[in-house]
Amino acid sequence: MASSSSRRLRAFKRWMNSQGIEWSSDAIGFIDTPEQGVSVKALRDLTEGEVAATIPKAACLTIKTSGARDLIRAACLDGCLGLSVALMYEKSLGNKSPWAAYLQLLPDRECLPLVWTLDEVDHLLPGTELHKIVKEDKALIYDDWKESIMPLVDALHLVPDFFGAEQYFAARTLVASRSFQIDDYHGFGMVPLADLFNHKTQAEDVHFTCGTFDSKSDDEDEEGNNNDSYTESAVNGEPANALGCTSDDSNVLEMIMVKDVKTGAEIFNTYGFAGNAALLHRYGFTEPDNPYDIVNIDLELVLYWSSSLFSGRYSRARLSLWRKLDYSGCVSHNAEYFEISFNGEPQVELLILLYIMLLPEDDYCKLDLAFSTACNHKEPISIILSEKCNISWENGSEVNKDLLLTESVCSALLWLADKRESLYGLSSMKDDIEALEKCSRKERKLYHSLMLRVSERRILEKLRTYATVGTELLKTTKRASTRKRMRRTSGPV
């Protein structure tokens, strides 16, 4: 295995030299292990601002550089679909592909949930932010293959073994986890060397930069020009890995050190600010204590809570007023939801919705009337809070979350946390933590799905603490207020 790894790394280095890819061989070393694949380490001390490598855009595999570019253009394919076809085509050529030495360094596929079996998805991801999304992805991507690629296989007599549904799914995982936005002309593509750096949240050592203007080839006519930038992910509609466009040379990409790195240390890239659900979805791994982790509470669950207390007409009216006040949740995959942060704090829009849902009828009518006469849609809720909390409120001020935390709102948050938690099934968070501690990282699917479950459930635990502390604070404030009133009303003996 070691000998094979050494051979493919030597071949890759020779190929990079032949393609004009320049890197400091005395500064950057490549480590190839069965467990981690290829990683990049510093062979000497590297300093901030040092240019570690330059990569010609012509060396990148894109829908403009692939041997399948005419086929892709004729079929009107673009985005991740077009790049996946380009990748499958080059892999079908074997050693005849101009990128053969680069492609043999890549895995056949990345271990993304996209290529897990449906049984694995249902067993490992229930309750998580990914369960529903991955199943939807599988259906949509299969439809892409059936509608756009299968006809090409039949019409152009392509080898099915390289362009089947399984190969397309595998290519999509590579595109999802390794592609970079290059420029307007190339769109996004596979960037050799750049995609070998592993991710570490908030620990970027090296940054990639690209040209500031389009690099249109001399023989490209207007009909073939494609200036659509890549805005969809190979998996879930998010952008590809971004390259900062700061280089003066539009024909090359640069890798620049953004901090000092000591000899022997691994050199990390950062794939953006993503929580564990996004990391597992797109890259196939998770990180402990990821500060960008979130948990979503669906609007549908909030309405289910409301229906357990109030009539459907009541809930619809309160929701309608919330919307008229120009509030909304986050929207993705045709679903509306509210984010709970890593610290367990709910999105303010959720608190406002719960507050409106629980307003006494007189206050609700007052709020509705205030809306009809207000110049600023955000003012009415401020007016109600000012009167109920006996505070002054400046127009344009943001709503203070603490003022929304009534006992009934805190009770609603606890209800929502418990219901969201129930989606994980019968095992407790303690069970998941114990299973994670016993699990080997070699069991990648189990390990990372457990990490995701534990990360999300810890956030729900923090949400409960947030609501409980809010309730206790309110009780303490009430007791203090009562004692003050008693002292004021008690005369001298």
Side-chain angles (χ1 to χ4, degrees), residues 297-320 350 353-359 408 411-413 415-416 419:
I297 301 289
D298 288 343
L299 174 61
E300 185 179 340
L301 184 59
V302 178
L303 296 180
Y304 180 63
W305 158 80
S306 180
S307 69
S308 70
L309 299 175
F310 311 109
S311 68
R313 181 179 179 182
Y314 175 103
S315 298
R316 288 192 297 272
R318 302 293 173 114
L319 177 65
S320 176
L350 171 59
L353 177 57
L354 295 176
Y355 188 88
I356 292 174
M357 286 284 190
L358 292 163
L359 272 177
S408 54
S411 177
L413 289 174
W415 189 98
L416 292 171
K419 280 296 181 183

mmCIF file of all heavy atoms in Angstrom, residues 297-320 350 353-359 408 411-413 415-416 419:
data_model
loop_
_atom_site.group_PDB
_atom_site.id
_atom_site.type_symbol
_atom_site.label_atom_id
_atom_site.label_comp_id
_atom_site.label_asym_id
_atom_site.label_seq_id
_atom_site.Cartn_x
_atom_site.Cartn_y
_atom_site.Cartn_z
ATOM 1 N N ILE A 297 -36.060 24.618 14.024
ATOM 2 C CA ILE A 297 -37.423 24.331 14.470
ATOM 3 C C ILE A 297 -38.354 24.723 13.333
ATOM 4 O O ILE A 297 -38.445 25.903 12.974
ATOM 5 C CB ILE A 297 -37.786 25.140 15.741
ATOM 6 C CG1 ILE A 297 -36.826 24.834 16.890
ATOM 7 C CG2 ILE A 297 -39.239 24.887 16.141
ATOM 8 C CD1 ILE A 297 -36.981 23.459 17.484
ATOM 9 N N ASP A 298 -39.021 23.762 12.741
ATOM 10 C CA ASP A 298 -39.900 24.048 11.608
ATOM 11 C C ASP A 298 -41.114 24.854 12.041
ATOM 12 O O ASP A 298 -41.671 24.649 13.122
ATOM 13 C CB ASP A 298 -40.372 22.753 10.951
ATOM 14 C CG ASP A 298 -39.267 22.054 10.181
ATOM 15 O OD1 ASP A 298 -38.244 22.705 9.892
ATOM 16 O OD2 ASP A 298 -39.426 20.855 9.869
ATOM 17 N N LEU A 299 -41.531 25.773 11.167
ATOM 18 C CA LEU A 299 -42.767 26.520 11.408
ATOM 19 C C LEU A 299 -43.935 25.553 11.585
ATOM 20 O O LEU A 299 -44.837 25.793 12.394
ATOM 21 C CB LEU A 299 -43.034 27.476 10.249
ATOM 22 C CG LEU A 299 -44.367 28.237 10.283
ATOM 23 C CD1 LEU A 299 -44.460 29.112 11.520
ATOM 24 C CD2 LEU A 299 -44.548 29.074 9.014
ATOM 25 N N GLU A 300 -43.898 24.464 10.851
ATOM 26 C CA GLU A 300 -44.945 23.451 10.951
ATOM 27 C C GLU A 300 -45.065 22.919 12.381
ATOM 28 O O GLU A 300 -46.175 22.676 12.877
ATOM 29 C CB GLU A 300 -44.626 22.309 9.984
ATOM 30 C CG GLU A 300 -45.693 21.237 9.902
ATOM 31 C CD GLU A 300 -45.321 20.150 8.905
ATOM 32 O OE1 GLU A 300 -44.467 20.411 8.031
ATOM 33 O OE2 GLU A 300 -45.879 19.050 9.008
ATOM 34 N N LEU A 301 -43.929 22.754 13.063
ATOM 35 C CA LEU A 301 -43.955 22.279 14.449
ATOM 36 C C LEU A 301 -44.538 23.351 15.380
ATOM 37 O O LEU A 301 -45.277 23.033 16.321
ATOM 38 C CB LEU A 301 -42.543 21.902 14.899
ATOM 39 C CG LEU A 301 -42.407 21.294 16.300
ATOM 40 C CD1 LEU A 301 -43.226 20.017 16.416
ATOM 41 C CD2 LEU A 301 -40.938 21.013 16.623
ATOM 42 N N VAL A 302 -44.222 24.618 15.103
ATOM 43 C CA VAL A 302 -44.776 25.710 15.901
ATOM 44 C C VAL A 302 -46.295 25.750 15.760
ATOM 45 O O VAL A 302 -47.025 25.935 16.745
ATOM 46 C CB VAL A 302 -44.155 27.058 15.479
ATOM 47 C CG1 VAL A 302 -44.772 28.211 16.275
ATOM 48 C CG2 VAL A 302 -42.643 27.038 15.662
ATOM 49 N N LEU A 303 -46.775 25.573 14.536
ATOM 50 C CA LEU A 303 -48.223 25.583 14.311
ATOM 51 C C LEU A 303 -48.886 24.369 14.953
ATOM 52 O O LEU A 303 -50.039 24.443 15.404
ATOM 53 C CB LEU A 303 -48.509 25.630 12.809
ATOM 54 C CG LEU A 303 -48.020 26.899 12.092
ATOM 55 C CD1 LEU A 303 -48.344 26.840 10.606
ATOM 56 C CD2 LEU A 303 -48.641 28.153 12.712
ATOM 57 N N TYR A 304 -48.176 23.261 15.009
ATOM 58 C CA TYR A 304 -48.691 22.074 15.698
ATOM 59 C C TYR A 304 -48.839 22.353 17.188
ATOM 60 O O TYR A 304 -49.842 21.978 17.819
ATOM 61 C CB TYR A 304 -47.754 20.892 15.462
ATOM 62 C CG TYR A 304 -48.181 19.606 16.131
ATOM 63 C CD1 TYR A 304 -49.376 18.983 15.787
ATOM 64 C CD2 TYR A 304 -47.386 19.021 17.114
ATOM 65 C CE1 TYR A 304 -49.767 17.804 16.416
ATOM 66 C CE2 TYR A 304 -47.766 17.850 17.746
ATOM 67 C CZ TYR A 304 -48.961 17.245 17.382
ATOM 68 O OH TYR A 304 -49.355 16.078 18.008
ATOM 69 N N TRP A 305 -47.835 23.037 17.755
ATOM 70 C CA TRP A 305 -47.931 23.453 19.171
ATOM 71 C C TRP A 305 -49.135 24.367 19.378
ATOM 72 O O TRP A 305 -49.915 24.184 20.318
ATOM 73 C CB TRP A 305 -46.644 24.180 19.581
ATOM 74 C CG TRP A 305 -46.828 25.066 20.777
ATOM 75 C CD1 TRP A 305 -46.854 24.701 22.079
ATOM 76 C CD2 TRP A 305 -47.051 26.484 20.760
ATOM 77 N NE1 TRP A 305 -47.070 25.786 22.888
ATOM 78 C CE2 TRP A 305 -47.202 26.898 22.101
ATOM 79 C CE3 TRP A 305 -47.137 27.443 19.734
ATOM 80 C CZ2 TRP A 305 -47.425 28.226 22.443
ATOM 81 C CZ3 TRP A 305 -47.362 28.763 20.066
ATOM 82 C CH2 TRP A 305 -47.497 29.148 21.407
ATOM 83 N N SER A 306 -49.295 25.340 18.480
ATOM 84 C CA SER A 306 -50.400 26.290 18.614
ATOM 85 C C SER A 306 -51.752 25.595 18.526
ATOM 86 O O SER A 306 -52.685 25.918 19.272
ATOM 87 C CB SER A 306 -50.295 27.369 17.521
ATOM 88 O OG SER A 306 -51.352 28.299 17.631
ATOM 89 N N SER A 307 -51.848 24.608 17.635
ATOM 90 C CA SER A 307 -53.121 23.894 17.468
ATOM 91 C C SER A 307 -53.479 23.068 18.691
ATOM 92 O O SER A 307 -54.648 22.717 18.890
ATOM 93 C CB SER A 307 -53.058 23.001 16.226
ATOM 94 O OG SER A 307 -52.161 21.916 16.435
ATOM 95 N N SER A 308 -52.474 22.745 19.515
ATOM 96 C CA SER A 308 -52.759 21.987 20.740
ATOM 97 C C SER A 308 -53.368 22.870 21.825
ATOM 98 O O SER A 308 -53.894 22.379 22.822
ATOM 99 C CB SER A 308 -51.475 21.332 21.272
ATOM 100 O OG SER A 308 -50.580 22.316 21.784
ATOM 101 N N LEU A 309 -53.299 24.196 21.634
ATOM 102 C CA LEU A 309 -53.815 25.142 22.627
ATOM 103 C C LEU A 309 -54.982 25.979 22.124
ATOM 104 O O LEU A 309 -55.877 26.346 22.898
ATOM 105 C CB LEU A 309 -52.690 26.100 23.071
ATOM 106 C CG LEU A 309 -51.454 25.490 23.738
ATOM 107 C CD1 LEU A 309 -50.420 26.578 23.983
ATOM 108 C CD2 LEU A 309 -51.826 24.815 25.051
ATOM 109 N N PHE A 310 -54.957 26.279 20.815
ATOM 110 C CA PHE A 310 -55.927 27.214 20.262
ATOM 111 C C PHE A 310 -56.598 26.632 19.019
ATOM 112 O O PHE A 310 -56.129 25.633 18.453
ATOM 113 C CB PHE A 310 -55.245 28.548 19.898
ATOM 114 C CG PHE A 310 -54.378 29.103 20.989
ATOM 115 C CD1 PHE A 310 -52.992 29.112 20.865
ATOM 116 C CD2 PHE A 310 -54.945 29.614 22.135
ATOM 117 C CE1 PHE A 310 -52.183 29.625 21.871
ATOM 118 C CE2 PHE A 310 -54.139 30.136 23.159
ATOM 119 C CZ PHE A 310 -52.768 30.142 23.016
ATOM 120 N N SER A 311 -57.632 27.306 18.573
ATOM 121 C CA SER A 311 -58.339 26.869 17.366
ATOM 122 C C SER A 311 -57.497 27.202 16.136
ATOM 123 O O SER A 311 -56.604 28.047 16.174
ATOM 124 C CB SER A 311 -59.688 27.574 17.264
ATOM 125 O OG SER A 311 -59.511 28.968 17.012
ATOM 126 N N GLY A 312 -57.826 26.554 15.041
ATOM 127 C CA GLY A 312 -57.115 26.824 13.806
ATOM 128 C C GLY A 312 -57.307 28.261 13.357
ATOM 129 O O GLY A 312 -56.371 28.900 12.859
ATOM 130 N N ARG A 313 -58.501 28.800 13.541
ATOM 131 C CA ARG A 313 -58.778 30.182 13.155
ATOM 132 C C ARG A 313 -57.925 31.151 13.966
ATOM 133 O O ARG A 313 -57.375 32.115 13.432
ATOM 134 C CB ARG A 313 -60.261 30.478 13.357
ATOM 135 C CG ARG A 313 -60.676 31.884 12.962
ATOM 136 C CD ARG A 313 -62.156 32.082 13.157
ATOM 137 N NE ARG A 313 -62.566 33.423 12.796
ATOM 138 C CZ ARG A 313 -63.799 33.883 12.903
ATOM 139 N NH1 ARG A 313 -64.763 33.076 13.368
ATOM 140 N NH2 ARG A 313 -64.094 35.109 12.554
ATOM 141 N N TYR A 314 -57.836 30.892 15.252
ATOM 142 C CA TYR A 314 -57.018 31.717 16.153
ATOM 143 C C TYR A 314 -55.557 31.707 15.681
ATOM 144 O O TYR A 314 -54.927 32.765 15.547
ATOM 145 C CB TYR A 314 -57.132 31.156 17.572
ATOM 146 C CG TYR A 314 -56.246 31.825 18.604
ATOM 147 C CD1 TYR A 314 -56.786 32.734 19.517
ATOM 148 C CD2 TYR A 314 -54.889 31.530 18.707
ATOM 149 C CE1 TYR A 314 -55.984 33.336 20.488
ATOM 150 C CE2 TYR A 314 -54.081 32.119 19.666
ATOM 151 C CZ TYR A 314 -54.630 33.027 20.552
ATOM 152 O OH TYR A 314 -53.832 33.616 21.507
ATOM 153 N N SER A 315 -55.002 30.529 15.430
ATOM 154 C CA SER A 315 -53.593 30.401 15.034
ATOM 155 C C SER A 315 -53.328 31.098 13.711
ATOM 156 O O SER A 315 -52.307 31.773 13.541
ATOM 157 C CB SER A 315 -53.204 28.923 14.938
ATOM 158 O OG SER A 315 -53.342 28.273 16.186
ATOM 159 N N ARG A 316 -54.253 30.945 12.752
ATOM 160 C CA ARG A 316 -54.065 31.574 11.435
ATOM 161 C C ARG A 316 -54.070 33.095 11.552
ATOM 162 O O ARG A 316 -53.284 33.777 10.880
ATOM 163 C CB ARG A 316 -55.151 31.099 10.472
ATOM 164 C CG ARG A 316 -54.982 29.657 10.017
ATOM 165 C CD ARG A 316 -55.914 29.347 8.839
ATOM 166 N NE ARG A 316 -57.324 29.471 9.215
ATOM 167 C CZ ARG A 316 -58.042 28.479 9.734
ATOM 168 N NH1 ARG A 316 -57.472 27.295 9.967
ATOM 169 N NH2 ARG A 316 -59.321 28.665 10.034
ATOM 170 N N ALA A 317 -54.945 33.624 12.416
ATOM 171 C CA ALA A 317 -55.009 35.077 12.581
ATOM 172 C C ALA A 317 -53.719 35.618 13.191
ATOM 173 O O ALA A 317 -53.187 36.651 12.755
ATOM 174 C CB ALA A 317 -56.208 35.437 13.454
ATOM 175 N N ARG A 318 -53.209 34.942 14.207
ATOM 176 C CA ARG A 318 -51.972 35.387 14.859
ATOM 177 C C ARG A 318 -50.779 35.279 13.902
ATOM 178 O O ARG A 318 -49.912 36.149 13.866
ATOM 179 C CB ARG A 318 -51.714 34.558 16.119
ATOM 180 C CG ARG A 318 -52.844 34.620 17.166
ATOM 181 C CD ARG A 318 -52.963 36.007 17.773
ATOM 182 N NE ARG A 318 -54.114 36.155 18.656
ATOM 183 C CZ ARG A 318 -54.014 36.373 19.969
ATOM 184 N NH1 ARG A 318 -52.835 36.450 20.551
ATOM 185 N NH2 ARG A 318 -55.104 36.533 20.694
ATOM 186 N N LEU A 319 -50.718 34.185 13.151
ATOM 187 C CA LEU A 319 -49.651 34.011 12.164
ATOM 188 C C LEU A 319 -49.730 35.094 11.090
ATOM 189 O O LEU A 319 -48.705 35.648 10.672
ATOM 190 C CB LEU A 319 -49.742 32.625 11.522
ATOM 191 C CG LEU A 319 -48.721 32.320 10.422
ATOM 192 C CD1 LEU A 319 -47.304 32.290 10.987
ATOM 193 C CD2 LEU A 319 -49.040 30.987 9.742
ATOM 194 N N SER A 320 -50.947 35.411 10.671
ATOM 195 C CA SER A 320 -51.134 36.440 9.646
ATOM 196 C C SER A 320 -50.646 37.797 10.126
ATOM 197 O O SER A 320 -49.982 38.535 9.386
ATOM 198 C CB SER A 320 -52.618 36.518 9.270
ATOM 199 O OG SER A 320 -52.845 37.567 8.350
ATOM 200 N N LEU A 350 -38.776 33.717 15.951
ATOM 201 C CA LEU A 350 -39.542 32.667 16.625
ATOM 202 C C LEU A 350 -40.122 33.197 17.934
ATOM 203 O O LEU A 350 -41.293 32.949 18.249
ATOM 204 C CB LEU A 350 -38.646 31.452 16.899
ATOM 205 C CG LEU A 350 -39.254 30.352 17.785
ATOM 206 C CD1 LEU A 350 -40.533 29.803 17.167
ATOM 207 C CD2 LEU A 350 -38.251 29.242 18.031
ATOM 208 N N LEU A 353 -43.070 35.411 17.202
ATOM 209 C CA LEU A 353 -44.249 34.636 16.809
ATOM 210 C C LEU A 353 -44.919 34.005 18.033
ATOM 211 O O LEU A 353 -46.153 34.066 18.186
ATOM 212 C CB LEU A 353 -43.856 33.561 15.800
ATOM 213 C CG LEU A 353 -44.988 32.617 15.350
ATOM 214 C CD1 LEU A 353 -46.159 33.408 14.763
ATOM 215 C CD2 LEU A 353 -44.475 31.591 14.348
ATOM 216 N N LEU A 354 -44.120 33.393 18.893
ATOM 217 C CA LEU A 354 -44.680 32.788 20.101
ATOM 218 C C LEU A 354 -45.334 33.854 20.983
ATOM 219 O O LEU A 354 -46.408 33.633 21.558
ATOM 220 C CB LEU A 354 -43.582 32.061 20.882
ATOM 221 C CG LEU A 354 -42.935 30.854 20.207
ATOM 222 C CD1 LEU A 354 -41.799 30.311 21.064
ATOM 223 C CD2 LEU A 354 -43.956 29.757 19.925
ATOM 224 N N TYR A 355 -44.693 35.007 21.079
ATOM 225 C CA TYR A 355 -45.222 36.107 21.891
ATOM 226 C C TYR A 355 -46.589 36.549 21.367
ATOM 227 O O TYR A 355 -47.537 36.737 22.140
ATOM 228 C CB TYR A 355 -44.230 37.261 21.866
ATOM 229 C CG TYR A 355 -44.559 38.393 22.808
ATOM 230 C CD1 TYR A 355 -44.115 38.377 24.129
ATOM 231 C CD2 TYR A 355 -45.299 39.497 22.382
ATOM 232 C CE1 TYR A 355 -44.405 39.417 25.009
ATOM 233 C CE2 TYR A 355 -45.599 40.530 23.240
ATOM 234 C CZ TYR A 355 -45.147 40.487 24.549
ATOM 235 O OH TYR A 355 -45.450 41.518 25.410
ATOM 236 N N ILE A 356 -46.704 36.707 20.047
ATOM 237 C CA ILE A 356 -47.970 37.126 19.439
ATOM 238 C C ILE A 356 -49.031 36.050 19.611
ATOM 239 O O ILE A 356 -50.202 36.339 19.896
ATOM 240 C CB ILE A 356 -47.760 37.473 17.943
ATOM 241 C CG1 ILE A 356 -46.904 38.739 17.817
ATOM 242 C CG2 ILE A 356 -49.086 37.641 17.219
ATOM 243 C CD1 ILE A 356 -46.510 39.085 16.397
ATOM 244 N N MET A 357 -48.622 34.790 19.426
ATOM 245 C CA MET A 357 -49.566 33.682 19.598
ATOM 246 C C MET A 357 -50.171 33.679 21.006
ATOM 247 O O MET A 357 -51.329 33.303 21.208
ATOM 248 C CB MET A 357 -48.866 32.344 19.339
ATOM 249 C CG MET A 357 -48.566 32.051 17.879
ATOM 250 S SD MET A 357 -50.059 31.543 16.994
ATOM 251 C CE MET A 357 -49.354 30.983 15.449
ATOM 252 N N LEU A 358 -49.388 34.100 21.989
ATOM 253 C CA LEU A 358 -49.798 33.986 23.388
ATOM 254 C C LEU A 358 -50.316 35.284 23.986
ATOM 255 O O LEU A 358 -50.657 35.342 25.167
ATOM 256 C CB LEU A 358 -48.605 33.483 24.219
ATOM 257 C CG LEU A 358 -48.184 32.033 23.922
ATOM 258 C CD1 LEU A 358 -46.783 31.758 24.439
ATOM 259 C CD2 LEU A 358 -49.184 31.048 24.526
ATOM 260 N N LEU A 359 -50.383 36.342 23.171
ATOM 261 C CA LEU A 359 -50.897 37.608 23.669
ATOM 262 C C LEU A 359 -52.361 37.473 24.095
ATOM 263 O O LEU A 359 -53.165 36.847 23.400
ATOM 264 C CB LEU A 359 -50.806 38.685 22.583
ATOM 265 C CG LEU A 359 -49.520 39.501 22.465
ATOM 266 C CD1 LEU A 359 -49.634 40.463 21.284
ATOM 267 C CD2 LEU A 359 -49.210 40.262 23.744
ATOM 268 N N SER A 408 -45.094 32.054 29.563
ATOM 269 C CA SER A 408 -45.774 31.220 28.568
ATOM 270 C C SER A 408 -44.903 30.999 27.336
ATOM 271 O O SER A 408 -44.919 29.920 26.735
ATOM 272 C CB SER A 408 -47.113 31.849 28.168
ATOM 273 O OG SER A 408 -46.930 33.191 27.746
ATOM 274 N N SER A 411 -42.385 28.416 28.328
ATOM 275 C CA SER A 411 -43.047 27.108 28.342
ATOM 276 C C SER A 411 -43.189 26.555 26.929
ATOM 277 O O SER A 411 -42.992 25.357 26.691
ATOM 278 C CB SER A 411 -44.425 27.237 29.005
ATOM 279 O OG SER A 411 -45.114 26.009 28.973
ATOM 280 N N ALA A 412 -43.513 27.433 25.977
ATOM 281 C CA ALA A 412 -43.623 27.009 24.576
ATOM 282 C C ALA A 412 -42.276 26.530 24.036
ATOM 283 O O ALA A 412 -42.192 25.540 23.303
ATOM 284 C CB ALA A 412 -44.158 28.156 23.726
ATOM 285 N N LEU A 413 -41.198 27.220 24.406
ATOM 286 C CA LEU A 413 -39.857 26.817 23.964
ATOM 287 C C LEU A 413 -39.501 25.432 24.489
ATOM 288 O O LEU A 413 -38.918 24.610 23.775
ATOM 289 C CB LEU A 413 -38.817 27.835 24.425
ATOM 290 C CG LEU A 413 -38.830 29.198 23.722
ATOM 291 C CD1 LEU A 413 -37.838 30.146 24.395
ATOM 292 C CD2 LEU A 413 -38.500 29.061 22.236
ATOM 293 N N TRP A 415 -41.624 23.073 25.241
ATOM 294 C CA TRP A 415 -42.469 22.125 24.484
ATOM 295 C C TRP A 415 -41.829 21.836 23.126
ATOM 296 O O TRP A 415 -41.743 20.672 22.711
ATOM 297 C CB TRP A 415 -43.861 22.705 24.322
ATOM 298 C CG TRP A 415 -44.881 21.769 23.755
ATOM 299 C CD1 TRP A 415 -45.801 21.028 24.440
ATOM 300 C CD2 TRP A 415 -45.104 21.480 22.355
ATOM 301 N NE1 TRP A 415 -46.580 20.296 23.574
ATOM 302 C CE2 TRP A 415 -46.175 20.548 22.284
ATOM 303 C CE3 TRP A 415 -44.515 21.895 21.166
ATOM 304 C CZ2 TRP A 415 -46.659 20.045 21.078
ATOM 305 C CZ3 TRP A 415 -44.989 21.387 19.958
ATOM 306 C CH2 TRP A 415 -46.040 20.478 19.916
ATOM 307 N N LEU A 416 -41.402 22.887 22.433
ATOM 308 C CA LEU A 416 -40.801 22.725 21.103
ATOM 309 C C LEU A 416 -39.500 21.930 21.175
ATOM 310 O O LEU A 416 -39.227 21.093 20.308
ATOM 311 C CB LEU A 416 -40.547 24.096 20.470
ATOM 312 C CG LEU A 416 -41.795 24.902 20.077
ATOM 313 C CD1 LEU A 416 -41.401 26.317 19.681
ATOM 314 C CD2 LEU A 416 -42.539 24.213 18.925
ATOM 315 N N LYS A 419 -40.406 18.229 21.676
ATOM 316 C CA LYS A 419 -40.953 17.623 20.455
ATOM 317 C C LYS A 419 -39.870 17.437 19.394
ATOM 318 O O LYS A 419 -39.839 16.424 18.698
ATOM 319 C CB LYS A 419 -42.084 18.500 19.892
ATOM 320 C CG LYS A 419 -43.410 18.312 20.592
ATOM 321 C CD LYS A 419 -43.943 16.898 20.387
ATOM 322 C CE LYS A 419 -45.283 16.707 21.065
ATOM 323 N NZ LYS A 419 -45.787 15.322 20.934
#
